Amino acid sequence: MDYLNELNEPQRQAVVNTEGPTMVIAGAGSGKTRVLTFRIAHLIHKGIDPFQILALTFTNKAAKEMKARIGKIVGESEAKNIWMGTFHSVFARILRSEADRIGYPRDFTIYDAADAKNLIKDIIREMNLDEKVYKPGLVYNRISSAKNNLISATSYASNTDLEADDRMSGKPLTGEIYQRYEQRCFRASAMDFDDLLFKTNVLLRDFPDVLHRYQQKFRYILVDEYQDTNYAQYLIVKKLAAMYENVCVVGDDAQSIYAFRGANIQNILNFKKDYPDFKIFKLEQNYRSTKTIVHAANSVIEKNRDQIQKDVWTDNEEGEIIRVLRAATDNEEGKQIAADIFDTKMNAQARNKEFAILYRTNAQSRSFEEALRKLNINYRIYGGLSFYQRKEIKDLLAYFRLTANPNDEEALKRVINYPKRGIGDTTIDALILAAAENNTGIWNVVEMPEMFQVRANAGSLNKVKEFATMIKSFGVQLNTKPGYELASHIATSSGILKELYDDKSPEGVSRYENIQELLNGIKEFSEASPADELRSLSDFLIEVALLTDADNEDPENKDHVTLMTVHSAKGLEFPYVYIVGMEENLFPSQLALNSREELEEERRLFYVAITRAEKRCTLSYANTRYRWGNLTHCEPSRFIDEVDSKYLEMPPAPKELNFDEEWDEPSFRKMKVPKKDSLFEKEPSKKAAVPATPSPSKRNLVKLDEKRPATSVPSSDSDSDLKVGQNVHHEKFGKGKVIQIEGIEPNRKATVFFPAVGQKQLLLRFAKLDILD
DNA sequence: TGCCCGGGTGTTTTT
DNA sequence: CACCCGGGCA
């Protein structure tokens, strides 16, 4: 067991103390994955059957990688038997094998967010509600968080608090939508993402024998990223662990960034209550980053009120200072970063894959893509529209889904007339209506329209029946043919392949290729299975429903710059990290400024971002940015101020300032703002002279939409101190002589000659001039 | 039934 | 800006 020698003392303790409830608080970069990996390997070495180990990770990718690492230590054949994956994928598997208990077929469909929203939209329409008021997306979120808190549709509808809430927001019928949504999902034999956790809880609650069986089975339970679990997940773990109490949770409260999705830091605190005799191990030595990065990150996170005390430190070298780059526009930001990557590649002989560009929102990726493409730097974007969300992929998958589960109404609606087969909206509406009138599923009507008085002409109904026959013919092959064969057969017989093949436009060609790629993926999937078990198409469907972009990394062509949101960067590390869009209202997000809790979550997010960096971390912001169509001004993020200034190198002043025209450009204003520690500035700047902006901090600066309110104008006549002929000193330009003063407040400006840089016009409102004589 | 145009609307973050 | 939806027209 020489792997134990590769660990420091707290890590080793966390690995070898395998029995009983254990909490590992792991600072960023402290070798958390290593500990989890070794802990599982250690269990197996001690003779624990891998089938009895349940390891829950945050992403499929993390699970896959961890499995591979464990495999290296204990052997592939052992490692592959561990129950490891995300909550969603592991419990989808379990739900599948226990489906009959809760009245679902084995091959139930997993609705993705788009399916769910579509269905909700339909329901809202059927109820004749105003879509502008009941926005499907928001209703979906509301239902989602109810499920994450284990509030069923029935209890939601009878909960007066929730009802009052909904009434306040003008949506008193949300409860009824939830109920109908549940019924429709059930009728379609479908579960949404949240159901996978919700229904697991139902299963474990209502069927003690099932609970007992899994309690017995999972003697050892490990949960990664515990700070990001929600109530539904917490309760599953608690129940499953109740028998042996060999539960080990690993997390870092400072990296909790999913409260918006119901994650609850309280789960970490609850651990103490649930298992009073738990052991706790703190991993505080960071092996990932330089001292600069670790200290800078600490200086940020310490501003949060809610946190578990810990002291992350490192033995690594001091490392490079954190640069702050400023760009005039979002496009410039892209160019600057791309150029910087280019330079670094040259100077440090770095490879593309050593770089990551992290942003707050997916929409920010565009300018970086363009700039990187221009410099011929390979990149890959994670998140955003994933492969599986493309139209052509969803279309084909819908055929697969319908084959496995004909009740799947979302899939049915998607493909009943694609490719075109003469079943128009009128016919479809008639089918839906007939289904509703007879209180049955659409599939039943599709299969036997004559039984349900469908108001549509005979010709159309014949086509409907043909469609049903086709789907049924696929269905009978479900468990006899290998997944790949059936999939290709469906792609061909459905007409999809031909439809796309005939489209010779570039997009059409690419769609055709995507379909081929999907089919190849299924082939790989079928073949990756052990020889003795046949992996069917429905096995693939379960898998694919929970797959994200990050999960299909192509092994070749791996040398690319990574572009992703900070959220998806969690758990990853890169030598060179750029955190971009460091602007107020973007990072921190505008929507997170309403409460301390939300702001603290944004700060943790920033902490996560900084701590992804190994060697060098760079922050950047733009002065202006296109946001929904028009150019908006941006203030640098308060988070820049929150980094201890001794680890920061602020941007140089802009090269050229055109004060004549755009004198209230924020780029100009920005330069004059006190940069550091402004939040904590004890005394107002003693610099006498011309205190153009009275505000001690950026926070007091003019908000963008309030165009230059009176408050920003110094009411004093302090600038009357300034006279033509005086010698002054300027932060950036050095010594100079005032040549001319003109204009009236607030637009009073001075023309100053600086020997170093020449003649400049300065707006007194912003310029900081010290009078020298 | 299908296509095109115009208006309205919206942006965190993800399994 | 980019997308989606609805309405009007071929």
Side-chain angles (χ1 to χ4, degrees):
Chain A
M1 299 194 191
D2 28 327
Y3 53 86
L4 290 179
N5 297 326
E6 297 172 36
L7 300 170
N8 68 26
E9 193 47 32
Q11 288 177 333
R12 185 164 31 244
Q13 289 304 319
V15 166
V16 300
N17 283 283
T18 57
E19 306 304 299
T22 308
M23 175 152 70
V24 181
I25 296 294
S30 64
K32 177 183 61 128
T33 312
R34 204 179 167 75
V35 163
L36 265 175
T37 309
F38 287 175
R39 189 179 167 102
I40 295 171
H42 194 68
L43 284 171
I44 295 175
H45 269 173
K46 279 173 66 177
I48 306 298
D49 184 346
F51 282 106
Q52 296 189 310
I53 300 173
L54 171 65
L56 298 164
T57 61
F58 195 70
T59 61
N60 294 301
K61 195 179 168 203
K64 211 164 138 188
E65 284 171 4
M66 201 184 297
K67 228 173 193 177
R69 286 171 70 167
I70 296 171
K72 291 239 169 67
I73 305 174
V74 301
E76 288 293 328
S77 54
E78 295 278 310
K80 78 167 208 281
N81 293 329
I82 305 166
W83 279 71
M84 177 145 35
T86 61
F87 273 89
H88 290 85
S89 59
V90 166
F91 295 111
R93 243 173 104 184
I94 289 179
L95 281 171
R96 213 180 152 196
S97 57
E98 311 292 337
D100 54 323
R101 297 298 189 112
I102 52 171
Y104 270 82
R106 244 185 88 76
D107 289 333
F108 64 84
T109 294
I110 298 173
Y111 274 174
D112 67 13
D115 295 319
K117 280 183 212 167
N118 267 334
L119 175 51
I120 290 172
K121 192 199 261 174
D122 284 353
I123 293 170
I124 289 169
R125 284 183 184 170
E126 286 162 20
M127 289 171 69
N128 284 319
L129 297 172
D130 185 353
E131 266 180 78
K132 304 263 156 58
V133 179
Y134 289 87
K135 291 180 186 156
L138 295 181
V139 175
Y140 173 62
N141 288 344
R142 186 105 177 126
I143 293 175
S144 168
S145 63
K147 285 186 186 172
N148 285 327
N149 288 301
L150 301 182
I151 300 169
S152 70
T154 331
S155 49
Y156 188 105
S158 59
N159 182 313
T160 47
D161 284 352
L162 292 169
E163 200 200 350
D165 250 27
D166 286 333
R167 204 176 291 282
M168 289 279 271
S169 65
K171 286 172 286 213
L173 294 177
T174 305
E176 185 171 348
I177 299 174
Y178 184 7
Q179 286 183 306
R180 289 191 185 211
Y181 173 71
E182 269 314 285
Q183 289 160 6
R184 291 284 283 276
C185 284
F186 185 71
R187 206 171 71 190
S189 305
M191 296 193 202
D192 65 19
F193 286 143
D194 305 306
D195 280 331
L196 297 175
L197 306 177
F198 185 91
K199 302 270 198 264
T200 300
N201 271 291
V202 171
L203 181 73
L204 300 181
R205 182 195 63 196
D206 295 349
F207 300 92
D209 62 312
V210 176
L211 173 63
H212 188 254
R213 186 147 39 84
Y214 285 101
Q215 283 177 332
Q216 193 79 273
K217 180 176 180 63
F218 298 131
R219 283 183 75 139
Y220 290 87
I221 299 175
L222 301 96
V223 188
D224 194 8
E225 309 281 11
Y226 193 65
Q227 77 281 356
D228 285 323
T229 51
N230 59 35
Y231 182 63
Q233 293 167 321
Y234 156 82
L235 205 62
I236 292 174
V237 171
K238 188 179 170 201
K239 287 199 164 173
L240 288 180
M243 183 177 291
Y244 292 105
E245 293 205 340
N246 289 322
V247 54
C248 171
V249 301
V250 183
D252 178 7
D253 58 296
Q255 296 184 62
S256 160
I257 55 175
Y258 282 97
F260 73 91
R261 158 179 136 184
N264 192 348
I265 312 193
Q266 289 307 115
N267 289 347
I268 289 193
L269 306 173
N270 277 342
F271 200 79
K272 277 182 214 174
K273 285 189 210 140
D274 292 338
Y275 314 99
D277 57 342
F278 78 115
K279 294 192 202 74
I280 181 166
F281 302 100
K282 281 192 189 180
L283 311 181
E284 297 179 310
Q285 181 175 2
N286 174 304
Y287 292 94
R288 176 186 297 153
S289 316
T290 64
K291 282 198 176 70
T292 301
I293 291 166
V294 169
H295 293 158
N298 286 344
S299 75
V300 168
I301 201 66
E302 75 187 11
K303 299 192 169 52
N304 270 9
R305 198 184 72 184
D306 297 332
Q307 54 183 314
I308 295 176
Q309 198 45 50
K310 67 186 144 333
D311 179 27
V312 180
W313 59 280
T314 185
D315 250 353
N316 294 344
E317 55 180 357
E318 206 64 42
E320 284 180 57
I321 196 157
I322 297 177
R323 290 171 306 154
V324 180
L325 305 182
R326 180 200 40 232
T329 65
D330 46 358
N331 282 325
E332 286 297 318
E333 185 185 35
K335 284 185 199 161
Q336 258 187 52
I337 303 289
D340 200 74
I341 291 175
F342 190 89
D343 290 348
T344 309
K345 281 181 67 177
M346 288 308 191
N347 298 333
Q349 295 294 309
R351 318 218 17 206
N352 291 334
K353 65 176 177 201
E354 295 176 56
F355 297 87
I357 299 175
L358 308 181
Y359 35 76
R360 179 66 237 273
T361 64
N362 283 305
Q364 285 165 257
S365 67
R366 206 206 69 247
S367 63
F368 302 98
E369 291 174 62
E370 275 170 22
L372 289 169
R373 203 159 32 218
K374 279 202 182 110
L375 294 184
N376 257 325
I377 299 173
N378 275 334
Y379 63 88
R380 169 134 151 57
I381 302 178
Y382 292 80
L385 241 215
S386 91
F387 180 75
Y388 301 101
Q389 283 163 13
R390 290 177 197 186
K391 184 188 173 301
E392 63 276 17
I393 300 301
K394 285 208 77 174
D395 289 336
L396 186 52
L397 286 176
Y399 272 101
F400 298 165
R401 278 164 50 173
L402 202 55
T403 301
N405 169 22
N407 293 321
D408 183 339
E409 297 192 2
E410 293 308 307
L412 179 82
K413 283 187 285 185
R414 200 176 176 98
V415 297
I416 189 167
N417 197 32
Y418 178 83
K420 300 251 166 340
R421 50 174 68 88
I423 305 175
D425 287 348
T426 336
T427 312
I428 296 173
D429 286 347
L431 293 170
I432 292 174
L433 190 67
E437 281 170 353
N438 292 282
N439 195 24
T440 183
I442 300 178
W443 175 252
N444 289 334
V445 183
V446 169
E447 219 182 346
M448 297 170 292
E450 62 279 358
M451 303 271 293
F452 297 98
Q453 307 91 39
V454 182
R455 286 185 287 282
N457 66 56
S460 302
L461 290 184
N462 262 332
K463 287 173 183 153
V464 169
K465 278 195 278 189
E466 276 170 37
F467 175 74
T469 309
M470 174 176 74
I471 298 296
K472 280 191 281 189
S473 79
F474 298 154
V476 295
Q477 306 174 58
L478 197 58
N479 294 312
T480 55
K481 265 197 177 156
Y484 172 69
E485 280 177 41
L486 180 55
S488 328
H489 173 66
I490 293 175
T492 314
S493 335
S494 65
I496 283 199
L497 217 48
K498 182 173 184 322
E499 174 97 359
L500 295 175
Y501 184 78
D502 289 343
D503 183 352
K504 295 299 182 194
S505 69
E507 301 82 35
V509 171
S510 129
R511 282 195 282 266
Y512 183 77
E513 286 168 359
N514 286 336
I515 293 288
Q516 294 296 353
E517 195 180 327
L518 178 67
L519 292 175
N520 287 338
I522 299 173
K523 189 169 194 176
E524 238 170 74
F525 175 83
S526 316
E527 286 168 0
S529 72
D532 52 330
E533 67 177 277
L534 174 118
R535 277 181 153 184
S536 73
L537 196 53
S538 40
D539 293 313
F540 178 75
L541 283 176
I542 287 270
E543 183 105 348
V544 90
L546 300 168
L547 237 39
T548 60
D549 230 19
D551 298 316
N552 58 311
E553 182 68 73
D554 50 331
E556 65 245 44
N557 193 18
K558 258 190 143 166
D559 187 33
H560 47 63
V561 173
T562 298
L563 276 71
M564 57 170 54
T565 62
V566 181
H567 279 91
S568 24
K570 192 170 76 157
L572 306 180
E573 56 188 16
F574 303 90
Y576 303 98
V577 167
Y578 297 84
I579 308 170
V580 301
M582 291 296 303
E583 294 143 34
E584 283 296 295
N585 297 327
L586 184 58
F587 196 3
S589 159
Q590 197 167 5
L591 293 107
L593 302 178
N594 303 317
S595 66
R596 186 178 50 78
E597 285 76 14
E598 287 175 312
L599 184 63
E600 292 202 351
E601 175 146 319
E602 293 285 307
R603 191 177 284 117
R604 291 192 295 269
L605 193 56
F606 183 45
Y607 175 79
V608 167
I610 299 175
T611 54
R612 297 311 93 199
E614 295 169 7
K615 281 183 175 155
R616 192 179 78 194
C617 177
T618 306
L619 310 181
S620 92
Y621 65 89
N623 285 325
T624 59
R625 171 179 303 278
Y626 274 98
R627 281 184 105 178
W628 46 99
N630 39 21
L631 202 60
T632 51
H633 299 283
C634 312
E635 296 291 334
S637 170
R638 68 188 72 193
F639 290 154
I640 298 179
D641 284 346
E642 292 183 2
V643 179
D644 188 332
S645 61
K646 62 177 179 261
Y647 306 114
L648 284 189
E649 178 185 299
M650 294 306 283
K655 284 194 196 103
E656 213 170 308
L657 298 172
N658 187 347
F659 301 134
D660 286 327
E661 296 176 43
E662 293 278 5
W663 39 259
D664 70 346
E665 266 298 310
S667 59
F668 181 28
R669 199 188 300 159
K670 195 134 314 141
M671 189 181 79
K672 301 301 154 209
V673 165
K675 287 167 191 152
K676 283 150 200 181
D677 293 329
S678 53
L679 250 181
F680 308 100
E681 205 163 59
K682 303 251 161 53
E683 48 205 334
S685 170
K686 282 243 174 56
K687 283 188 181 173
V690 196
T693 344
S695 61
S697 109
K698 268 195 302 223
R699 223 84 51 255
N700 298 339
L701 273 182
V702 194
K703 276 277 176 313
L704 301 175
D705 27 3
E706 321 158 9
K707 283 277 181 221
R708 248 182 295 124
T711 52
S712 75
V713 179
S715 51
S716 78
D717 52 357
S718 59
D719 54 351
S720 64
D721 294 346
L722 193 69
K723 300 201 170 61
V724 172
Q726 266 172 332
N727 287 313
V728 294
H729 182 265
H730 183 272
E731 236 185 15
K732 191 74 206 172
F733 305 132
K735 275 188 196 170
K737 196 181 199 100
V738 179
I739 297 173
Q740 195 185 14
I741 297 173
E742 60 184 314
I744 45 162
E745 287 300 345
N747 301 330
R748 207 164 159 76
K749 21 184 183 175
T751 309
V752 183
F753 178 77
F754 297 100
V757 288
Q759 191 168 313
K760 294 281 174 193
Q761 290 200 45
L762 304 175
L763 198 68
L764 294 179
R765 195 149 58 88
F766 298 120
K768 262 206 186 146
L769 292 176
D770 290 355
I771 300 174
L772 297 177
D773 47 5

